[in-house]
Amino acid sequence: MDYFKEIALEQDLITKISEQRDKIQHQQKELAESLKYASSIQSALLPDLRYFKKLFPENFVMFKPRDIVSGDFYWYGRKGSRVAVAAADCTGHGVPGAFMSMLGISFLDEIVSKGVPGANSILNRLRENVMKALHQTGEVGEHKDGMDIALCVFDLEKMEMEYSGAFNPLYLIRKGVLHETRGDKMPIGINAVVEKSFTNHCIKLKQGDLIYLFSDGYADQFGGPYNKKFKYNPLKELLVKISKKPLEAQKKDLERSFIKWKADCEQLDDVLLIGLKI
Amino acid sequence: MWFKLFRIKNYRSIVDTGWNELASDNITGLIGQNESGKTSILEALNSFYSGKISDDILRSDLSLPEVSCSFSLTSAELKKFFSEKKVPEKILDLIHKSGQIALTRTWNADMSSYLSFGDEQVREFYMELEDKQKAFEEKTLSGLYRVLEEAKKAEGDRGNALMEKEETKKELRALELILARARKIDGKKPTKDTQNQLQKLLLEEERLKKRFEKKKSALESRSGRLADLSDNSRFAQLCLDTLDELDKAKGLWEESYRELYDIQIYFDSLHTEREIKGIKGKLDMVNANHLKNDRKLEKSRSRASFSVAVTSRILKGMDPSEAEDLVEKEIRKQAAYYSEFELAEQAFMHIPIFELFEDFSSLLPNRIDLEDIFTANSAVEGFKAARNFLIVSGLKSTFFEERSSRILKQKIEKLNNDLSLNFQDYWRQNLGKDNKIEIHFELEHYDNTHPDKMGKPYLEFWIKDEQERLYPKQRSRGVRWFLSFYLELKANAIENKDRSRVFLIDEPGLSLHARAQEDVLAVFEDIKDDIQIMYSTHSPHLININKLYRLLAIQRAVEDDMKSETVIFDPRSLNEASTDTLSPIYTLMGTKLSDHQFVKKKNNVIVEDTPTYYYLSTIFSLAGYKKEMYFLPATDVNNVPTLVNLLIGWKLDFVVLLDDDSDGNRIYRELRRTHYHDNDEIASRKLIRLDSGGSVEDLFSTIDFKNFVLHKRVGITESNSEYIEMNELSKAKLASDFILDVQNNKIKLEDFDDETIDNISRLIKKLDNVLS
């Protein structure tokens, strides 16, 4: 009698567990589908790279989200002869990062809608928009979300560019030598100290100059023989090493090098790297 | 301790002002129309200190007044002022957190009042304690009644048991008699019947004996219970007696208080000395009786609370003497902490002294006898002013003891010089041409024209200018008022160095000329480090345009409805006050401009309004612009054409600088059409627009606007002027704060970012191109 009772109970348990498994699988599927859908919306919001190719015939965008949706985003906007290009990295990754990135893209589009202002002016205005949207006033306990960004404004007629950065730097390789311009040490969003204007760096361009904008995902990836970060100096060396190659080949090298470094480690953050040739 | 915040409830037209902050630099001005409630605020604060109110302050719904004031308190002060006992931990935490203590005076229906300590949180803490004590007393009281009830029941039970025992005993005795008789019969002639009968009786006797034993033990148990309860019931009864005594003491206290209150009112209404004398004896007697009852009540109260505490422990099974020891120990422990009442009392001893000045009627006399001053004969004319004069001069009676009249004269001469110089620092009003007044005093002695006082010294006062030396009474009332005011404030500041003061001044300098009213402000500035000042005024001359943060605007909730309640607008929300309330500020802006004699032959720049005028004058001076130019503010964009016509009429050269908004553009088109026949070339030389897309505030980059004008960290995506409009901020207040910061060197041109500098440079260049 007891034996039959045990069997019945076991069967009952198995049914319950399989029901729950089915439920979880269903939820997972739904979640994956909605994330996939969100990802397609995010992709649609990201600017069309075909048109970007017309502005910069030689370019690459290495964009490797950690999850289905990404907290990093690339963006460009054009009015007349002025083109603004940005690589941004929102706080968090996955869904929260994606929300922030959508805000960032919309704000940037709006800022350049009547003309492309100075690079620092774009960042100043972007910060105002983010602070306003997130109701940031510097009070204790509020959300400190924001984004880091490197943004350039090119005037290819005048062969000039402006760069302004929130933490993220600009690398320019000219004749095989890498020149780094550092961004200001303040984010797009509320900061511990009062807001100051972002610095506008004006740079004269030369034919063949290589410009790189990126998030911290590549340099911060753990891996290698001692499971350490890739870091910025190796990235600089790598960029200089491959600088003579065409941009498409550079992208492949960068991807290969990233995969090799990462090996079996998990990708820790979204990765974004933009390369342009003048 | 500094006075920081106040809140007034149910005082004349005031229902509840909410908490209002005083100006951080100790001068707070109340502006508003007549009957708005300015004086009520000053009087309410004075009542807070004095505890006195009159019938006329009560509101028609008879809700009772309550005035709360909050004071800053440093850790050192806390330690010093509350050193005799311990402050409860929770209250210490609250004080440390806020750095302030609040006191509230609440009035009762009979106009008496009491002080309570702390803000809502502190009061909640004490209310919780009170509730706990109340619950404890109620619980103990119900315990007392229960014990008494039980004791009563036990007594009844014992009585019943005794009765039953006695009855059984009686039955047993009766049976014993029958049994003896039956034994006798059976002994004489035993038969079966007698044997049976005897057997039956023996059985019955055994039953009764058993019953008796049972009743006996029941009685013993009841008696035991009664004995157990009787101790407790005795203590319970004693406790109830003390509570009864307390009730009786309360009754007596109320009775004598009512008697004293009635007789006091009657006494206060008396006028003649005879009447007063007649009732004085009775008043003293009633007062003494009430004092006796007061002491009795206090004694009864402490006895009752002690008894309740002890009895509650006895009822829980504690030994009575142990319970008494424990309660005494608890009382001692509790007494080591300040009670709410003691905290309030202690704090009140150290808060600043509040003084209300409604008028300065004691004007400086022509002369006063030294004897009257040093014997404090306050009835003599001008006593207060003369006494204040001596305090300000630092003169004591020993000064006049100098035997050598030559030395004394020299001393007086020197003193006269020092004193006049000090007074002249404030009194800038010219008398006649370049003359400024001086106050002099001299020591004289009565001659034989005053036989009764002959040889006695007196002081003679003079108010002197370069042309003449006149007695105070020969001078205008305005001069004498200012002098009395100056002496009163200075003397008070000197006399009370050890304890801070709050001066509540109603309409100072009402009879003074505009310039002299500004001098009143200068006196305030001079004493503000020692004395906090709150004053009411209608006068623009008693307002510092650069210090609008000092103002509280007072008005009725419904404008022009004198039955509606009084409301207060703090400096951050001045713009919400009505135009009439703010009229002194607007008048002042205009008056200040007129001081500059600002219309010149050339290079006049007409701007839309006064904030624009202030911003541009300040910014151009910050930028070090050298060319002579004169900004002329119209009171509103719509008045720009009128000003243009005026200047054209006077044949004065000008350009117009308009905002780049819809109103500015409308006036631009109107002027271009009416004055320049739509000739763009001429118009462009006369009509300039701020090209930053809006108003003068848009000259600042968003970041500079936030950092230097708004002083707030918030995301702004619209233009600065749109932000001001959407958030209903006061343009005048923002402009005033900005100017003040520039004047105090808190803002320099190099602090601005490139965008602001660009905007300013562009505007300067634009104007420079059209100015000659």
Side-chain angles (χ1 to χ4, degrees):
Chain A
M1 186 66 194
D2 280 350
Y3 172 75
F4 287 112
K5 207 173 167 185
E6 266 178 31
I7 298 266
L9 274 173
E10 206 175 290
Q11 273 183 345
D12 200 25
L13 213 61
I14 290 169
T15 323
K16 268 186 188 163
I17 290 170
S18 52
E19 268 172 18
Q20 280 173 348
R21 184 201 56 207
D22 291 348
K23 202 174 164 188
I24 291 168
Q25 275 176 347
H26 178 69
Q27 279 176 344
Q28 216 169 20
K29 202 177 150 201
E30 270 194 346
L31 208 62
E33 270 172 16
S34 71
L35 274 175
K36 214 171 141 193
Y37 191 64
S39 162
S40 67
I41 294 176
Q42 195 180 32
S43 308
L45 274 172
L46 287 168
D48 189 344
L49 289 175
R50 281 172 303 176
Y51 185 65
F52 192 50
K53 194 132 189 98
K54 285 185 183 167
L55 296 169
F56 298 97
E58 277 206 72
N59 80 69
F60 73 80
V61 176
M62 178 182 166
F63 183 49
K64 289 175 88 65
R66 195 197 89 150
D67 304 308
I68 302 171
V69 285
S70 164
D72 284 8
F73 69 91
Y74 54 89
W75 171 89
Y76 70 89
R78 181 199 169 190
K79 272 274 157 180
S81 63
R82 286 169 72 81
V83 185
V85 181
D89 172 6
C90 303
T91 48
H93 44 74
V95 176
F99 273 117
M100 278 297 293
S101 74
M102 283 166 73
L103 269 183
I105 292 170
S106 316
F107 290 148
L108 284 167
D109 281 338
E110 193 196 316
I111 291 166
V112 300
S113 61
K114 285 181 190 159
V116 179
N120 68 333
S121 185
I122 295 177
L123 294 198
N124 287 339
R125 282 155 72 175
L126 180 61
R127 177 172 56 193
E128 294 302 327
N129 274 292
V130 169
M131 282 173 71
K132 186 177 178 184
L134 301 182
H135 300 287
Q136 294 174 328
T137 56
E139 273 169 29
V140 187
E142 70 183 9
H143 288 289
K144 297 270 184 279
D145 299 297
M147 58 185 88
D148 300 342
I149 193 168
L151 184 139
C152 295
V153 173
F154 296 92
D155 192 326
L156 295 176
E157 279 177 13
K158 293 183 183 163
M159 284 299 276
E160 282 172 358
M161 70 171 269
E162 293 166 27
Y163 154 78
S164 204
F167 288 114
N168 291 355
L170 162 84
Y171 290 169
L172 184 152
I173 298 181
R174 183 176 288 168
K175 290 180 184 161
V177 181
L178 187 142
H179 304 271
E180 180 183 355
T181 311
R182 294 195 174 178
D184 292 304
K185 285 193 167 39
M186 48 191 178
I188 300 292
I190 199 84
N191 192 15
V193 288
V194 290
E195 289 75 59
K196 278 187 198 155
S197 179
F198 284 95
T199 315
N200 206 35
H201 302 272
C202 296
I203 298 163
K204 280 270 172 209
L205 291 171
K206 286 198 172 147
Q207 211 65 47
D209 279 351
L210 287 162
I211 310 289
Y212 298 96
L213 304 173
F214 43 86
S215 68
D216 57 3
Y218 199 108
D220 283 353
Q221 177 59 44
F222 276 85
Y226 305 107
N227 196 24
K228 290 197 163 173
K229 280 185 181 180
F230 189 78
K231 294 198 176 163
Y232 286 93
N233 277 338
L235 176 62
K236 287 182 198 171
E237 283 163 17
L238 176 62
L239 288 173
V240 171
K241 200 172 128 194
I242 59 174
S243 62
K244 292 214 166 61
K245 294 186 181 179
L247 273 278
E248 271 307 313
Q250 286 190 19
K251 183 183 177 185
K252 275 180 190 150
D253 281 0
L254 283 162
E255 276 173 345
R256 229 172 278 137
S257 164
F258 183 75
I259 290 165
K260 198 176 154 198
W261 178 261
K262 184 173 80 81
D264 291 337
C265 287
E266 206 184 326
Q267 183 178 331
L268 288 178
D269 201 353
D270 304 317
V271 171
L272 172 66
L273 214 153
I274 303 173
L276 308 168
K277 192 169 188 181
I278 304 299
Chain B
M1 262 190 184
W2 292 102
F3 181 24
K4 290 283 175 193
L5 305 161
F6 70 87
R7 178 178 193 167
I8 302 166
K9 287 183 190 172
N10 307 323
Y11 200 99
R12 283 215 192 93
S13 56
I14 300 165
V15 174
D16 184 357
T17 62
W19 283 102
N20 287 277
E21 214 172 321
L22 270 75
S24 55
D25 62 359
N26 292 346
I27 301 177
T28 306
L30 307 177
I31 55 166
Q33 290 175 276
N34 285 331
E35 302 284 319
S36 59
K38 301 188 298 292
T39 306
S40 294
I41 290 173
L42 296 178
E43 285 180 355
L45 293 176
N46 191 48
S47 295
F48 162 80
Y49 191 78
S50 68
K52 288 177 193 154
I53 51 166
S54 49
D55 284 335
D56 67 313
I57 70 101
L58 289 180
R59 292 184 56 76
S60 54
D61 61 1
L62 296 181
S63 42
L64 295 165
E66 192 180 291
V67 183
S68 307
C69 295
S70 184
F71 306 88
S72 66
L73 188 76
T74 60
S75 303
E77 283 173 328
L78 180 68
K79 225 172 175 179
K80 193 175 156 199
F81 299 156
F82 299 91
S83 58
E84 285 168 20
K85 289 186 177 187
K86 284 192 241 173
V87 178
E89 288 293 320
K90 176 142 191 217
I91 292 177
L92 265 186
D93 277 356
L94 290 171
I95 296 175
H96 280 308
K97 223 179 266 172
S98 67
Q100 289 191 16
I101 51 165
L103 281 175
T104 299
R105 187 182 286 282
T106 312
W107 278 267
N108 302 310
D110 61 5
M111 306 284 176
S112 65
S113 68
Y114 60 92
L115 280 170
S116 37
F117 182 82
D119 55 10
E120 284 78 4
Q121 275 176 300
V122 175
R123 284 158 96 177
E124 220 167 78
F125 168 78
Y126 276 111
M127 252 153 75
E128 261 173 40
L129 279 187
E130 214 172 90
D131 287 349
K132 268 187 202 160
Q133 179 66 18
K134 224 180 200 171
F136 167 72
E137 277 174 13
E138 273 168 16
K139 202 176 153 196
T140 309
L141 208 62
S142 71
L144 295 183
Y145 286 123
R146 203 174 47 243
V147 164
L148 287 174
E149 192 95 342
E150 278 172 6
K152 205 172 158 192
K153 193 170 166 276
E155 205 173 350
D157 287 350
R158 187 188 165 275
N160 288 342
L162 182 67
M163 211 167 69
E164 279 172 16
K165 189 195 120 190
E166 289 304 317
E167 268 173 17
T168 316
K169 201 176 170 184
K170 232 188 255 170
E171 274 179 48
L172 196 62
R173 270 189 198 149
L175 185 71
E176 273 168 359
L177 287 175
I178 296 169
L179 191 64
R181 215 168 39 233
R183 271 197 186 114
K184 218 172 168 182
I185 294 168
D186 187 54
K188 277 180 187 171
K189 199 179 173 184
T191 63
K192 205 176 179 181
D193 280 351
T194 55
Q195 292 260 314
N196 279 345
Q197 182 67 16
L198 188 62
Q199 201 58 38
K200 259 187 200 168
L201 287 170
L202 280 171
L203 278 174
E204 178 65 11
E205 185 198 35
E206 199 178 331
R207 192 185 65 80
L208 273 178
K209 269 184 181 164
K210 268 186 191 163
R211 196 169 150 207
F212 178 72
E213 280 309 313
K214 214 172 158 187
K215 294 290 172 195
K216 203 174 143 193
S217 83
L219 176 65
E220 272 166 16
S221 123
R222 300 279 192 277
S223 300
R225 167 112 179 107
L226 181 62
D228 284 349
L229 282 170
S230 73
D231 272 353
N232 278 358
S233 72
R234 197 161 45 85
F235 284 115
Q237 192 52 54
L238 278 175
C239 184
L240 283 179
D241 289 348
T242 57
L243 290 172
D244 276 350
E245 210 177 283
L246 176 63
D247 279 345
K248 270 182 213 153
K250 272 184 192 164
L252 281 174
W253 187 93
E254 272 166 26
E255 209 174 286
S256 63
Y257 177 76
R258 225 169 290 130
E259 195 183 1
L260 178 66
Y261 180 71
D262 290 343
I263 203 163
Q264 185 71 51
I265 286 179
Y266 177 64
F267 182 80
D268 291 342
S269 70
L270 297 178
H271 298 296
T272 67
E273 224 168 89
R274 227 182 87 202
E275 283 174 327
I276 290 171
K277 214 172 168 187
I279 204 76
K280 183 83 174 60
K282 169 93 174 150
L283 178 67
D284 288 346
M285 209 176 73
V286 172
N287 201 3
N289 185 38
H290 181 64
L291 273 178
K292 199 175 84 194
N293 286 335
D294 196 52
R295 277 196 296 272
K296 216 185 254 173
L297 176 64
E298 201 43 53
K299 231 184 218 171
S300 300
R301 191 172 278 143
S302 63
R303 204 181 296 145
S305 86
F306 179 75
S307 177
V308 167
V310 171
T311 314
S312 92
R313 278 163 182 83
I314 292 173
L315 296 189
K316 276 181 195 155
M318 199 181 261
D319 178 67
S321 57
E322 249 176 58
E324 278 189 12
D325 288 348
L326 187 73
V327 171
E328 269 170 14
K329 216 167 154 187
E330 274 174 9
I331 288 175
R332 272 201 301 278
K333 199 174 153 194
Q334 210 177 343
Y337 284 93
Y338 283 109
S339 67
E340 186 191 7
F341 171 71
E342 285 170 332
L343 275 177
E345 218 176 33
Q346 198 66 18
F348 190 74
M349 276 164 60
H350 297 285
I351 62 165
I353 297 168
F354 286 49
E355 283 198 35
L356 176 67
F357 296 96
E358 281 168 298
D359 69 318
F360 296 84
S361 50
S362 175
L363 302 181
L364 198 65
N366 291 351
R367 72 165 62 161
I368 189 164
D369 294 356
L370 263 189
E371 195 183 345
D372 283 335
I373 292 183
F374 294 121
T375 56
N377 182 7
S378 57
V380 73
E381 187 202 350
F383 165 77
K384 208 171 169 193
R387 189 194 62 111
N388 288 338
F389 175 84
L390 293 191
I391 292 168
V392 174
S393 336
L395 288 178
K396 290 188 181 129
S397 55
T398 46
F399 177 88
F400 299 99
E401 284 165 10
E402 175 61 58
R403 294 277 169 209
S404 158
S405 64
R406 193 176 59 83
I407 294 175
L408 196 59
K409 223 166 202 168
Q410 267 178 356
K411 275 186 175 179
I412 289 174
E413 199 172 320
K414 186 177 176 299
L415 207 60
N416 275 334
N417 283 336
D418 293 349
L419 200 68
S420 296
L421 281 175
N422 194 322
F423 180 67
Q424 278 174 19
D425 287 346
Y426 306 107
W427 184 260
R428 294 168 300 136
Q429 196 183 7
N430 289 342
L431 296 177
K433 287 174 189 168
D434 297 325
N435 304 330
K436 286 206 168 175
I437 60 165
E438 291 177 7
I439 327 158
H440 278 192
F441 77 101
E442 275 162 21
L443 181 69
E444 301 288 352
H445 292 84
Y446 286 107
D447 57 18
N448 56 6
T449 55
H450 295 82
D452 52 331
K453 292 185 181 176
M454 200 166 80
K456 286 192 174 172
Y458 66 88
L459 292 181
E460 199 158 50
F461 296 99
W462 301 95
I463 297 182
K464 191 184 153 205
D465 56 44
E466 272 183 17
Q467 288 166 354
E468 51 191 353
R469 195 172 87 136
L470 298 171
Y471 280 124
K473 282 187 180 174
Q474 290 171 304
R475 288 289 182 188
S476 75
R477 233 187 128 67
V479 173
R480 290 179 73 203
W481 184 93
F482 187 84
L483 186 56
S484 298
F485 162 80
Y486 165 82
L487 291 174
E488 177 85 40
L489 263 54
K490 286 295 268 187
N492 227 316
I494 292 167
E495 256 192 332
N496 299 293
K497 276 253 177 255
D498 55 330
R499 194 158 160 197
S500 50
R501 306 218 139 203
V502 177
F503 281 2
L504 308 164
I505 308 173
D506 197 17
E507 302 276 2
L510 212 53
S511 55
L512 294 183
H513 180 268
R515 189 73 183 265
Q517 287 187 341
E518 287 172 10
D519 296 344
V520 170
L521 257 191
V523 177
F524 287 172
E525 293 283 352
D526 185 54
I527 59 173
K528 75 174 182 344
D529 292 335
D530 300 314
I531 295 171
Q532 284 179 277
I533 289 152
M534 186 187 274
Y535 66 99
S536 64
T537 189
H538 288 109
S539 167
H541 304 286
L542 280 165
I543 294 171
N544 187 335
I545 191 71
N546 296 327
K547 296 183 178 175
L548 293 185
Y549 57 85
R550 288 176 170 174
L551 298 182
L552 294 175
I554 321 295
Q555 69 181 51
R556 295 293 179 130
V558 182
E559 231 181 314
D560 300 331
D561 179 4
M562 289 306 144
K563 278 183 189 153
S564 66
E565 63 179 280
T566 291
V567 287
I568 302 180
F569 295 94
D570 67 16
R572 285 179 290 277
S573 54
L574 274 184
N575 58 310
E576 287 167 31
S578 72
T579 314
D580 283 339
T581 302
L582 299 179
S583 65
I585 301 179
Y586 295 138
T587 314
L588 180 59
M589 280 187 153
T591 317
K592 280 278 159 202
L593 296 173
S594 64
D595 276 0
H596 298 173
Q597 297 174 355
F598 55 102
V599 186
K600 302 284 176 179
K601 275 235 174 272
K602 55 178 191 173
N603 287 354
N604 294 303
V605 180
I606 297 173
V607 294
E608 287 187 9
D609 52 23
T610 35
T612 309
Y613 162 84
Y614 279 110
Y615 275 120
L616 290 182
S617 319
T618 311
I619 288 171
F620 272 63
S621 127
L622 257 187
Y625 186 71
K626 293 279 183 282
K627 201 182 268 184
E628 279 195 15
M629 62 186 299
Y630 313 96
F631 290 105
L632 304 183
T635 45
D636 180 79
V637 63
N638 294 314
N639 293 334
V640 169
T642 317
L643 206 52
V644 166
N645 288 335
L646 219 61
L647 264 67
I648 290 173
W650 289 341
K651 294 190 171 35
L652 297 169
D653 178 39
F654 67 92
V655 290
V656 180
L657 180 63
L658 291 161
D659 289 356
D660 186 15
D661 55 14
S662 58
D663 283 338
N665 290 334
R666 179 172 50 79
I667 297 297
Y668 179 88
R669 286 193 298 274
E670 184 186 322
L671 288 173
R672 190 179 61 175
R673 182 171 45 81
T674 53
H675 290 76
Y676 306 109
H677 310 289
D678 285 331
N679 182 329
D680 276 337
E681 203 199 323
I682 306 172
S684 67
R685 273 187 273 126
K686 289 287 176 193
L687 307 175
I688 311 288
R689 270 178 295 187
L690 283 163
D691 60 0
S692 40
S695 307
V696 66
E697 293 88 354
D698 300 314
L699 281 174
F700 300 101
S701 68
T702 308
I703 296 167
D704 285 343
F705 174 70
K706 290 197 296 184
N707 290 341
F708 302 120
V709 180
L710 194 61
H711 300 290
K712 198 173 169 187
R713 296 183 73 188
V714 62
I716 299 179
T717 52
E718 54 280 81
S719 70
N720 302 334
S721 52
E722 281 166 345
Y723 181 84
I724 291 173
E725 201 182 325
M726 273 163 42
N727 290 281
E728 295 177 342
L729 301 175
S730 161
K731 279 179 78 134
K733 166 86 176 42
L734 291 176
S736 152
D737 289 350
F738 173 74
I739 297 158
L740 190 65
D741 284 347
V742 172
Q743 283 171 353
N744 291 337
N745 282 328
K746 284 188 192 160
I747 302 173
K748 296 188 184 71
L749 190 70
E750 53 268 32
D751 295 331
F752 294 138
D753 62 20
D754 292 346
E755 192 183 332
T756 309
I757 301 266
D758 272 1
N759 289 341
I760 293 173
S761 310
R762 262 207 310 278
L763 178 66
I764 289 178
K765 205 170 161 194
K766 216 173 194 182
L767 276 172
D768 197 58
N769 283 340
V770 291
L771 294 173
S772 47

